[in-house]
Short mmCIF file of all heavy atoms in Angstrom, two decimals:
data_model
loop_
_atom_site.label_atom_id
_atom_site.label_comp_id
_atom_site.label_asym_id
_atom_site.label_seq_id
_atom_site.Cartn_x
_atom_site.Cartn_y
_atom_site.Cartn_z
N MET A 6 0.85 -1.20 0.00
CA MET A 6 0.00 0.00 0.00
C MET A 6 0.89 1.25 0.00
O MET A 6 1.76 1.39 0.85
CB MET A 6 -0.90 0.00 1.23
CG MET A 6 -1.89 1.14 1.24
SD MET A 6 -3.03 1.05 2.63
CE MET A 6 -1.98 1.60 3.97
N GLU A 7 0.63 2.13 -0.95
CA GLU A 7 1.44 3.35 -1.02
C GLU A 7 0.84 4.44 -0.15
O GLU A 7 -0.38 4.63 -0.13
CB GLU A 7 1.53 3.82 -2.47
CG GLU A 7 2.49 4.99 -2.64
CD GLU A 7 2.82 5.28 -4.09
OE1 GLU A 7 3.32 4.38 -4.76
OE2 GLU A 7 2.56 6.41 -4.52
N CYS A 8 1.71 5.15 0.55
CA CYS A 8 1.26 6.24 1.41
C CYS A 8 0.71 7.38 0.55
O CYS A 8 1.35 7.79 -0.42
CB CYS A 8 2.45 6.75 2.24
SG CYS A 8 2.08 8.22 3.20
N GLU A 9 -0.44 7.90 0.93
CA GLU A 9 -1.04 8.98 0.13
C GLU A 9 -0.26 10.29 0.25
O GLU A 9 -0.47 11.21 -0.52
CB GLU A 9 -2.51 9.19 0.50
CG GLU A 9 -2.73 9.70 1.90
CD GLU A 9 -4.20 9.94 2.22
OE1 GLU A 9 -4.72 11.01 1.82
OE2 GLU A 9 -4.81 9.08 2.87
N HIS A 10 0.64 10.36 1.22
CA HIS A 10 1.45 11.57 1.42
C HIS A 10 2.88 11.40 0.92
O HIS A 10 3.74 12.23 1.20
CB HIS A 10 1.48 11.95 2.91
CG HIS A 10 0.13 12.15 3.50
ND1 HIS A 10 -0.70 13.19 3.15
CD2 HIS A 10 -0.55 11.41 4.40
CE1 HIS A 10 -1.83 13.09 3.82
NE2 HIS A 10 -1.78 12.02 4.59
N LEU A 11 3.13 10.31 0.21
CA LEU A 11 4.50 9.98 -0.21
C LEU A 11 5.22 11.13 -0.91
O LEU A 11 6.33 11.51 -0.51
CB LEU A 11 4.49 8.75 -1.12
CG LEU A 11 5.86 8.25 -1.57
CD1 LEU A 11 6.63 7.66 -0.39
CD2 LEU A 11 5.72 7.20 -2.66
N GLN A 12 4.62 11.70 -1.93
CA GLN A 12 5.30 12.77 -2.70
C GLN A 12 5.54 14.00 -1.84
O GLN A 12 6.59 14.64 -1.92
CB GLN A 12 4.48 13.12 -3.95
CG GLN A 12 4.41 12.00 -4.98
CD GLN A 12 5.78 11.43 -5.34
OE1 GLN A 12 6.75 12.17 -5.53
NE2 GLN A 12 5.87 10.11 -5.41
N GLN A 13 4.57 14.33 -1.02
CA GLN A 13 4.69 15.47 -0.09
C GLN A 13 5.82 15.21 0.91
O GLN A 13 6.63 16.09 1.20
CB GLN A 13 3.35 15.60 0.65
CG GLN A 13 3.10 16.92 1.32
CD GLN A 13 1.73 16.92 1.98
OE1 GLN A 13 0.84 16.14 1.63
NE2 GLN A 13 1.57 17.80 2.94
N ASN A 14 5.87 14.00 1.44
CA ASN A 14 6.91 13.64 2.41
C ASN A 14 8.30 13.69 1.77
O ASN A 14 9.26 14.15 2.40
CB ASN A 14 6.67 12.23 2.97
CG ASN A 14 5.46 12.17 3.85
OD1 ASN A 14 4.95 13.18 4.32
ND2 ASN A 14 4.96 10.96 4.08
N LEU A 15 8.40 13.20 0.54
CA LEU A 15 9.70 13.18 -0.13
C LEU A 15 10.27 14.59 -0.31
O LEU A 15 11.48 14.79 -0.30
CB LEU A 15 9.59 12.48 -1.49
CG LEU A 15 9.47 10.96 -1.42
CD1 LEU A 15 9.17 10.38 -2.80
CD2 LEU A 15 10.72 10.33 -0.83
N LYS A 16 9.39 15.57 -0.45
CA LYS A 16 9.84 16.96 -0.64
C LYS A 16 10.53 17.51 0.61
O LYS A 16 11.37 18.40 0.52
CB LYS A 16 8.66 17.87 -0.99
CG LYS A 16 8.19 17.69 -2.42
CD LYS A 16 7.08 18.67 -2.73
CE LYS A 16 6.44 18.30 -4.07
NZ LYS A 16 5.10 18.83 -4.21
N ILE A 17 10.17 16.99 1.78
CA ILE A 17 10.76 17.51 3.02
C ILE A 17 11.72 16.53 3.68
O ILE A 17 12.32 16.84 4.70
CB ILE A 17 9.68 17.96 4.03
CG1 ILE A 17 8.75 16.79 4.36
CG2 ILE A 17 8.89 19.15 3.50
CD1 ILE A 17 7.79 17.11 5.50
N CYS A 18 11.86 15.35 3.10
CA CYS A 18 12.75 14.32 3.68
C CYS A 18 14.21 14.71 3.44
O CYS A 18 14.61 14.95 2.31
CB CYS A 18 12.45 12.96 3.06
SG CYS A 18 13.51 11.65 3.72
N ASN A 19 14.99 14.72 4.52
CA ASN A 19 16.41 15.09 4.39
C ASN A 19 17.32 13.87 4.34
O ASN A 19 18.54 14.01 4.33
CB ASN A 19 16.83 16.00 5.56
CG ASN A 19 16.88 15.24 6.87
OD1 ASN A 19 16.15 14.26 7.06
ND2 ASN A 19 17.70 15.70 7.80
N CYS A 20 16.75 12.68 4.31
CA CYS A 20 17.56 11.46 4.35
C CYS A 20 18.30 11.26 3.02
O CYS A 20 17.68 11.31 1.96
CB CYS A 20 16.69 10.25 4.65
SG CYS A 20 17.67 8.75 4.81
N THR A 21 19.59 11.03 3.11
CA THR A 21 20.40 10.85 1.89
C THR A 21 20.70 9.38 1.62
O THR A 21 21.45 9.07 0.70
CB THR A 21 21.73 11.64 1.99
OG1 THR A 21 22.45 11.17 3.14
CG2 THR A 21 21.47 13.12 2.09
N TYR A 22 20.12 8.50 2.44
CA TYR A 22 20.35 7.06 2.21
C TYR A 22 19.34 6.59 1.17
O TYR A 22 18.26 6.10 1.46
CB TYR A 22 20.22 6.29 3.53
CG TYR A 22 20.61 4.84 3.37
CD1 TYR A 22 21.93 4.49 3.14
CD2 TYR A 22 19.66 3.82 3.44
CE1 TYR A 22 22.31 3.17 2.99
CE2 TYR A 22 20.02 2.50 3.29
CZ TYR A 22 21.34 2.18 3.06
OH TYR A 22 21.70 0.86 2.90
N ASP A 23 19.72 6.74 -0.09
CA ASP A 23 18.79 6.53 -1.19
C ASP A 23 18.25 5.11 -1.39
O ASP A 23 17.13 4.96 -1.85
CB ASP A 23 19.41 7.04 -2.49
CG ASP A 23 19.42 8.56 -2.53
OD1 ASP A 23 18.55 9.17 -1.87
OD2 ASP A 23 20.29 9.14 -3.19
N PRO A 24 19.03 4.07 -1.08
CA PRO A 24 18.46 2.72 -1.31
C PRO A 24 17.34 2.34 -0.35
O PRO A 24 16.72 1.30 -0.52
CB PRO A 24 19.65 1.78 -1.10
CG PRO A 24 20.83 2.60 -0.79
CD PRO A 24 20.41 4.01 -0.62
N CYS A 25 17.06 3.16 0.64
CA CYS A 25 16.07 2.78 1.65
C CYS A 25 14.66 2.70 1.06
O CYS A 25 14.18 3.66 0.46
CB CYS A 25 16.08 3.80 2.80
SG CYS A 25 14.87 3.35 4.06
N PRO A 26 13.97 1.58 1.28
CA PRO A 26 12.61 1.42 0.76
C PRO A 26 11.56 2.19 1.57
O PRO A 26 10.41 2.29 1.14
CB PRO A 26 12.37 -0.10 0.89
CG PRO A 26 13.26 -0.52 2.01
CD PRO A 26 14.46 0.39 1.96
N ARG A 27 11.96 2.73 2.73
CA ARG A 27 11.01 3.47 3.58
C ARG A 27 11.03 4.97 3.31
O ARG A 27 10.23 5.71 3.88
CB ARG A 27 11.31 3.21 5.06
CG ARG A 27 11.05 1.78 5.49
CD ARG A 27 11.61 1.51 6.87
NE ARG A 27 13.05 1.42 6.81
CZ ARG A 27 13.71 0.30 6.49
NH1 ARG A 27 13.07 -0.79 6.24
NH2 ARG A 27 15.02 0.29 6.44
N LYS A 28 11.90 5.42 2.45
CA LYS A 28 12.05 6.86 2.18
C LYS A 28 10.71 7.47 1.73
O LYS A 28 10.09 6.98 0.78
CB LYS A 28 13.12 7.07 1.12
CG LYS A 28 13.69 8.48 1.09
CD LYS A 28 14.94 8.48 0.22
CE LYS A 28 15.35 9.89 -0.14
NZ LYS A 28 15.77 10.69 0.98
N GLY A 29 10.27 8.48 2.44
CA GLY A 29 9.01 9.14 2.11
C GLY A 29 7.80 8.52 2.77
O GLY A 29 6.71 9.07 2.74
N ASN A 30 8.01 7.37 3.39
CA ASN A 30 6.92 6.72 4.12
C ASN A 30 7.25 6.86 5.61
O ASN A 30 7.83 5.97 6.23
CB ASN A 30 6.81 5.25 3.71
CG ASN A 30 5.50 4.65 4.15
OD1 ASN A 30 4.98 5.01 5.21
ND2 ASN A 30 4.96 3.75 3.37
N CYS A 31 6.90 8.00 6.15
CA CYS A 31 7.33 8.40 7.51
C CYS A 31 6.88 7.42 8.59
O CYS A 31 7.60 7.23 9.58
CB CYS A 31 6.84 9.80 7.82
SG CYS A 31 7.44 11.03 6.64
N CYS A 32 5.72 6.81 8.44
CA CYS A 32 5.24 5.85 9.45
C CYS A 32 6.21 4.69 9.55
O CYS A 32 6.65 4.33 10.64
CB CYS A 32 3.86 5.31 9.09
SG CYS A 32 2.62 6.57 8.92
N LEU A 33 6.56 4.10 8.41
CA LEU A 33 7.47 2.96 8.41
C LEU A 33 8.87 3.38 8.87
O LEU A 33 9.55 2.64 9.59
CB LEU A 33 7.55 2.34 7.02
CG LEU A 33 6.26 1.71 6.51
CD1 LEU A 33 6.48 1.11 5.12
CD2 LEU A 33 5.74 0.66 7.47
N CYS A 34 9.30 4.54 8.44
CA CYS A 34 10.62 5.08 8.81
C CYS A 34 10.72 5.23 10.33
O CYS A 34 11.67 4.76 10.95
CB CYS A 34 10.81 6.42 8.10
SG CYS A 34 12.32 7.29 8.53
N LEU A 35 9.75 5.87 10.92
CA LEU A 35 9.75 6.11 12.37
C LEU A 35 9.75 4.79 13.14
O LEU A 35 10.54 4.59 14.06
CB LEU A 35 8.55 6.96 12.77
CG LEU A 35 8.38 7.20 14.26
CD1 LEU A 35 9.57 7.95 14.83
CD2 LEU A 35 7.10 7.96 14.53
N HIS A 36 8.86 3.88 12.76
CA HIS A 36 8.77 2.60 13.48
C HIS A 36 10.04 1.77 13.32
O HIS A 36 10.49 1.12 14.26
CB HIS A 36 7.54 1.81 13.02
CG HIS A 36 6.27 2.43 13.49
ND1 HIS A 36 5.95 2.53 14.84
CD2 HIS A 36 5.24 3.00 12.83
CE1 HIS A 36 4.78 3.13 14.97
NE2 HIS A 36 4.33 3.44 13.77
N TYR A 37 10.62 1.82 12.14
CA TYR A 37 11.87 1.09 11.90
C TYR A 37 12.96 1.59 12.84
O TYR A 37 13.59 0.82 13.56
CB TYR A 37 12.30 1.24 10.44
CG TYR A 37 13.68 0.69 10.17
CD1 TYR A 37 13.88 -0.67 10.02
CD2 TYR A 37 14.79 1.54 10.09
CE1 TYR A 37 15.14 -1.19 9.80
CE2 TYR A 37 16.05 1.03 9.87
CZ TYR A 37 16.23 -0.33 9.72
OH TYR A 37 17.49 -0.83 9.51
N HIS A 38 13.18 2.88 12.86
CA HIS A 38 14.26 3.43 13.68
C HIS A 38 13.94 3.32 15.17
O HIS A 38 14.83 3.10 15.99
CB HIS A 38 14.58 4.86 13.27
CG HIS A 38 15.37 4.90 12.00
ND1 HIS A 38 16.68 4.47 11.93
CD2 HIS A 38 15.04 5.28 10.75
CE1 HIS A 38 17.12 4.59 10.69
NE2 HIS A 38 16.15 5.07 9.96
N ARG A 39 12.69 3.43 15.51
CA ARG A 39 12.30 3.27 16.93
C ARG A 39 12.62 1.85 17.41
O ARG A 39 13.14 1.66 18.51
CB ARG A 39 10.81 3.57 17.07
CG ARG A 39 10.36 3.56 18.50
CD ARG A 39 8.92 3.99 18.60
NE ARG A 39 8.36 3.50 19.85
CZ ARG A 39 7.10 3.57 20.16
NH1 ARG A 39 6.24 4.11 19.33
NH2 ARG A 39 6.67 3.11 21.30
N ARG A 40 12.29 0.87 16.58
CA ARG A 40 12.61 -0.53 16.91
C ARG A 40 14.11 -0.73 17.11
O ARG A 40 14.55 -1.55 17.91
CB ARG A 40 12.16 -1.46 15.78
CG ARG A 40 10.85 -2.16 16.02
CD ARG A 40 10.64 -3.36 15.09
NE ARG A 40 11.08 -3.18 13.72
CZ ARG A 40 10.35 -2.65 12.74
NH1 ARG A 40 9.13 -2.23 12.99
NH2 ARG A 40 10.83 -2.54 11.53
N MET A 41 14.91 0.02 16.37
CA MET A 41 16.36 -0.09 16.43
C MET A 41 16.96 0.78 17.54
O MET A 41 18.18 0.84 17.69
CB MET A 41 16.97 0.34 15.09
CG MET A 41 16.44 -0.40 13.88
SD MET A 41 17.01 -2.09 13.81
CE MET A 41 18.63 -1.84 13.14
N GLY A 42 16.12 1.49 18.30
CA GLY A 42 16.62 2.40 19.33
C GLY A 42 17.23 3.64 18.72
O GLY A 42 18.17 4.22 19.27
N GLU A 43 16.67 4.07 17.60
CA GLU A 43 17.23 5.19 16.85
C GLU A 43 16.15 6.26 16.57
O GLU A 43 14.99 6.09 16.92
CB GLU A 43 17.79 4.69 15.52
CG GLU A 43 18.92 3.68 15.67
CD GLU A 43 19.38 3.10 14.35
OE1 GLU A 43 18.67 3.21 13.34
OE2 GLU A 43 20.46 2.50 14.34
N LEU A 44 16.58 7.29 15.89
CA LEU A 44 15.67 8.35 15.43
C LEU A 44 15.79 8.46 13.91
O LEU A 44 16.85 8.17 13.35
CB LEU A 44 16.07 9.69 16.05
CG LEU A 44 15.88 9.79 17.57
CD1 LEU A 44 16.63 11.02 18.10
CD2 LEU A 44 14.41 9.86 17.91
N PRO A 45 14.74 8.91 13.23
CA PRO A 45 14.81 9.10 11.78
C PRO A 45 15.76 10.24 11.40
O PRO A 45 16.09 11.10 12.22
CB PRO A 45 13.38 9.47 11.39
CG PRO A 45 12.54 9.16 12.56
CD PRO A 45 13.42 9.20 13.77
N ALA A 46 16.14 10.26 10.16
CA ALA A 46 17.07 11.27 9.64
C ALA A 46 16.64 12.70 9.93
O ALA A 46 17.47 13.57 10.17
CB ALA A 46 17.23 11.09 8.13
N CYS A 47 15.34 12.95 9.93
CA CYS A 47 14.84 14.32 10.06
C CYS A 47 15.09 14.93 11.44
O CYS A 47 14.86 16.12 11.63
CB CYS A 47 13.37 14.39 9.66
SG CYS A 47 12.31 13.19 10.48
N TYR A 48 15.59 14.15 12.38
CA TYR A 48 15.97 14.70 13.68
C TYR A 48 17.37 15.31 13.64
O TYR A 48 17.78 16.00 14.56
CB TYR A 48 15.93 13.62 14.77
CG TYR A 48 14.56 13.42 15.34
CD1 TYR A 48 13.60 12.69 14.66
CD2 TYR A 48 14.20 13.99 16.58
CE1 TYR A 48 12.33 12.51 15.17
CE2 TYR A 48 12.93 13.81 17.10
CZ TYR A 48 12.00 13.08 16.39
OH TYR A 48 10.75 12.91 16.90
N PHE A 49 18.10 15.03 12.58
CA PHE A 49 19.51 15.39 12.53
C PHE A 49 19.78 16.53 11.55
O PHE A 49 19.04 16.71 10.57
CB PHE A 49 20.33 14.16 12.13
CG PHE A 49 20.24 13.04 13.13
CD1 PHE A 49 19.30 12.03 12.98
CD2 PHE A 49 21.06 13.01 14.25
CE1 PHE A 49 19.19 10.99 13.91
CE2 PHE A 49 20.97 11.98 15.18
CZ PHE A 49 20.03 10.97 15.01
N THR A 50 20.84 17.26 11.82
CA THR A 50 21.27 18.30 10.89
C THR A 50 21.85 17.64 9.64
O THR A 50 22.10 16.42 9.63
CB THR A 50 22.37 19.19 11.51
OG1 THR A 50 23.53 18.38 11.71
CG2 THR A 50 21.93 19.81 12.84
N GLU A 51 22.12 18.42 8.65
CA GLU A 51 22.67 17.89 7.40
C GLU A 51 23.99 17.14 7.63
O GLU A 51 24.20 16.05 7.11
CB GLU A 51 22.88 19.04 6.41
CG GLU A 51 23.30 18.60 5.04
CD GLU A 51 23.47 19.78 4.08
OE1 GLU A 51 23.01 20.90 4.40
OE2 GLU A 51 24.08 19.57 3.02
N THR A 52 24.86 17.75 8.43
CA THR A 52 26.15 17.13 8.73
C THR A 52 25.99 15.84 9.52
O THR A 52 26.64 14.83 9.24
CB THR A 52 27.03 18.12 9.53
OG1 THR A 52 27.10 19.35 8.83
CG2 THR A 52 28.43 17.57 9.73
N GLU A 53 25.13 15.88 10.53
CA GLU A 53 24.90 14.69 11.35
C GLU A 53 24.27 13.57 10.53
O GLU A 53 24.64 12.39 10.66
CB GLU A 53 23.97 15.04 12.53
CG GLU A 53 24.59 16.00 13.53
CD GLU A 53 23.54 16.63 14.44
OE1 GLU A 53 22.33 16.35 14.29
OE2 GLU A 53 23.94 17.42 15.31
N GLU A 54 23.31 13.95 9.71
CA GLU A 54 22.60 12.95 8.90
C GLU A 54 23.56 12.19 8.00
O GLU A 54 23.43 10.98 7.80
CB GLU A 54 21.51 13.65 8.08
CG GLU A 54 20.54 12.70 7.38
CD GLU A 54 21.09 12.09 6.11
OE1 GLU A 54 21.90 12.74 5.41
OE2 GLU A 54 20.74 10.94 5.80
N ALA A 55 24.54 12.90 7.47
CA ALA A 55 25.50 12.30 6.53
C ALA A 55 26.34 11.20 7.17
O ALA A 55 26.94 10.39 6.46
CB ALA A 55 26.39 13.39 5.96
N THR A 56 26.38 11.14 8.49
CA THR A 56 27.15 10.07 9.17
C THR A 56 26.37 8.76 9.18
O THR A 56 26.95 7.71 9.45
CB THR A 56 27.45 10.44 10.64
OG1 THR A 56 26.23 10.44 11.39
CG2 THR A 56 28.13 11.80 10.76
N TYR A 57 25.07 8.83 8.94
CA TYR A 57 24.16 7.67 9.01
C TYR A 57 24.09 7.08 10.41
O TYR A 57 23.60 5.99 10.60
CB TYR A 57 24.50 6.59 8.00
CG TYR A 57 24.34 7.05 6.56
CD1 TYR A 57 25.24 6.66 5.58
CD2 TYR A 57 23.29 7.87 6.19
CE1 TYR A 57 25.10 7.08 4.26
CE2 TYR A 57 23.13 8.30 4.89
CZ TYR A 57 24.04 7.91 3.93
OH TYR A 57 23.88 8.33 2.64
N ASN A 58 24.63 7.80 11.39
CA ASN A 58 24.48 7.36 12.78
C ASN A 58 23.15 7.92 13.28
O ASN A 58 23.03 9.12 13.51
CB ASN A 58 25.64 7.90 13.63
CG ASN A 58 25.59 7.37 15.05
OD1 ASN A 58 24.58 6.80 15.48
ND2 ASN A 58 26.66 7.56 15.79
N ARG A 59 22.17 7.06 13.41
CA ARG A 59 20.82 7.49 13.81
C ARG A 59 20.55 7.19 15.29
O ARG A 59 19.40 7.24 15.73
CB ARG A 59 19.76 6.76 12.97
CG ARG A 59 19.98 6.79 11.47
CD ARG A 59 19.47 8.08 10.87
NE ARG A 59 19.37 7.99 9.43
CZ ARG A 59 20.12 8.70 8.60
NH1 ARG A 59 21.00 9.55 9.06
NH2 ARG A 59 19.95 8.59 7.30
N SER A 60 21.58 6.84 16.04
CA SER A 60 21.36 6.44 17.44
C SER A 60 20.92 7.63 18.29
O SER A 60 21.29 8.78 18.05
CB SER A 60 22.63 5.82 18.03
OG SER A 60 23.65 6.79 18.15
N ILE A 61 20.13 7.30 19.32
CA ILE A 61 19.67 8.33 20.24
C ILE A 61 20.86 8.92 21.00
O ILE A 61 20.92 10.13 21.23
CB ILE A 61 18.62 7.75 21.21
CG1 ILE A 61 17.35 7.40 20.42
CG2 ILE A 61 18.29 8.73 22.34
CD1 ILE A 61 16.31 6.63 21.22
N SER A 62 21.84 8.07 21.34
CA SER A 62 23.01 8.57 22.06
C SER A 62 23.80 9.58 21.22
O SER A 62 24.29 10.58 21.75
CB SER A 62 23.92 7.41 22.51
OG SER A 62 24.33 6.66 21.40
N TYR A 63 23.88 9.35 19.92
CA TYR A 63 24.56 10.32 19.06
C TYR A 63 23.76 11.63 19.02
O TYR A 63 24.34 12.72 19.13
CB TYR A 63 24.71 9.74 17.65
CG TYR A 63 25.36 10.68 16.67
CD1 TYR A 63 26.63 11.18 16.88
CD2 TYR A 63 24.69 11.08 15.50
CE1 TYR A 63 27.23 12.06 15.98
CE2 TYR A 63 25.28 11.95 14.60
CZ TYR A 63 26.54 12.43 14.84
OH TYR A 63 27.12 13.30 13.95
N PHE A 64 22.45 11.52 18.90
CA PHE A 64 21.59 12.71 18.89
C PHE A 64 21.81 13.54 20.16
O PHE A 64 22.03 14.75 20.10
CB PHE A 64 20.12 12.29 18.77
CG PHE A 64 19.15 13.42 18.86
CD1 PHE A 64 18.84 14.19 17.75
CD2 PHE A 64 18.53 13.72 20.07
CE1 PHE A 64 17.94 15.24 17.83
CE2 PHE A 64 17.62 14.78 20.15
CZ PHE A 64 17.33 15.53 19.02
N VAL A 65 21.78 12.87 21.32
CA VAL A 65 21.93 13.57 22.59
C VAL A 65 23.33 14.17 22.70
O VAL A 65 23.50 15.32 23.13
CB VAL A 65 21.65 12.61 23.78
CG1 VAL A 65 22.02 13.25 25.11
CG2 VAL A 65 20.19 12.19 23.77
N SER A 66 24.34 13.41 22.28
CA SER A 66 25.73 13.90 22.39
C SER A 66 25.93 15.18 21.58
O SER A 66 26.69 16.06 21.97
CB SER A 66 26.72 12.83 21.94
OG SER A 66 26.72 12.69 20.54
N ARG A 67 25.25 15.28 20.47
CA ARG A 67 25.39 16.46 19.61
C ARG A 67 24.69 17.68 20.18
O ARG A 67 24.94 18.81 19.75
CB ARG A 67 24.84 16.16 18.20
CG ARG A 67 25.60 15.06 17.48
CD ARG A 67 27.02 15.44 17.15
NE ARG A 67 27.02 16.55 16.21
CZ ARG A 67 28.11 17.12 15.72
NH1 ARG A 67 29.30 16.71 16.10
NH2 ARG A 67 28.02 18.10 14.86
N ARG A 68 23.79 17.47 21.12
CA ARG A 68 23.05 18.60 21.68
C ARG A 68 23.51 18.98 23.08
O ARG A 68 22.98 19.91 23.67
CB ARG A 68 21.54 18.29 21.67
CG ARG A 68 20.97 18.68 20.32
CD ARG A 68 19.97 17.70 19.77
NE ARG A 68 19.76 17.99 18.36
CZ ARG A 68 20.49 17.45 17.37
NH1 ARG A 68 21.45 16.61 17.63
NH2 ARG A 68 20.24 17.79 16.11
N LYS A 69 24.48 18.29 23.60
CA LYS A 69 25.00 18.59 24.93
C LYS A 69 26.00 19.73 24.91
O LYS A 69 26.38 20.24 25.93
CB LYS A 69 25.69 17.36 25.51
CG LYS A 69 24.74 16.42 26.22
CD LYS A 69 25.52 15.32 26.89
CE LYS A 69 24.60 14.41 27.67
NZ LYS A 69 25.30 13.20 28.10
N ARG A 70 26.47 20.11 23.70
CA ARG A 70 27.56 21.06 23.61
C ARG A 70 27.09 22.48 23.82
O ARG A 70 25.99 22.82 23.73
CB ARG A 70 28.27 20.92 22.26
CG ARG A 70 28.72 19.49 22.09
CD ARG A 70 29.51 19.19 20.85
NE ARG A 70 28.70 19.20 19.65
CZ ARG A 70 29.13 19.75 18.50
NH1 ARG A 70 30.25 20.37 18.44
NH2 ARG A 70 28.39 19.68 17.43
S1 LIG B 101 15.77 7.80 8.00
FE1 LIG B 101 16.14 5.59 7.86
S2 LIG B 101 14.18 4.59 7.40
FE2 LIG B 101 13.99 6.81 7.06
S3 LIG B 101 14.33 7.06 4.88
FE3 LIG B 101 16.30 7.36 5.90
S4 LIG B 101 17.33 5.37 6.01
FE4 LIG B 101 15.16 5.05 5.47
#
């Protein structure tokens, strides 16, 4: 089933991991990363996102400074 907001989501998605099948499908993206103890790309800055480190600990470490 295709998300009815897919094209709209893709316009604001900052994720650069192109092979991902969840790109633009925010529900699947969020649940996937949540299961992994992570956050989706959109929580991260451009520089942070490029590391592909989606861990919560990395997110927190970047905001402690
Ligand atoms: S943040 Fe993760 S699940 Fe979401 S589009 Fe990027 S790689 Fe895929």
Side-chain angles (χ1 to χ4, degrees):
M6 185 176 76
E7 187 168 302
C8 173
E9 66 178 279
H10 303 292
L11 183 69
Q12 294 309 318
Q13 198 178 338
N14 291 343
L15 285 172
K16 284 183 191 158
I17 58 171
C18 179
N19 70 332
C20 184
T21 59
Y22 187 69
D23 287 333
C25 180
R27 293 169 287 275
K28 199 168 165 66
N30 195 326
C31 301
C32 302
L33 295 181
C34 176
L35 176 62
H36 289 296
Y37 172 79
H38 283 291
R39 186 175 158 188
R40 260 197 321 273
M41 305 289 280
E43 299 175 344
L44 294 166
C47 51
Y48 276 78
F49 297 93
T50 65
E51 186 179 346
T52 307
E53 294 164 359
E54 190 281 329
T56 69
Y57 296 141
N58 185 347
R59 310 277 194 246
S60 68
I61 292 172
S62 58
Y63 178 59
F64 175 83
V65 171
S66 74
R67 298 294 296 180
R68 275 139 194 90
K69 274 187 177 168
R70 304 183 288 138

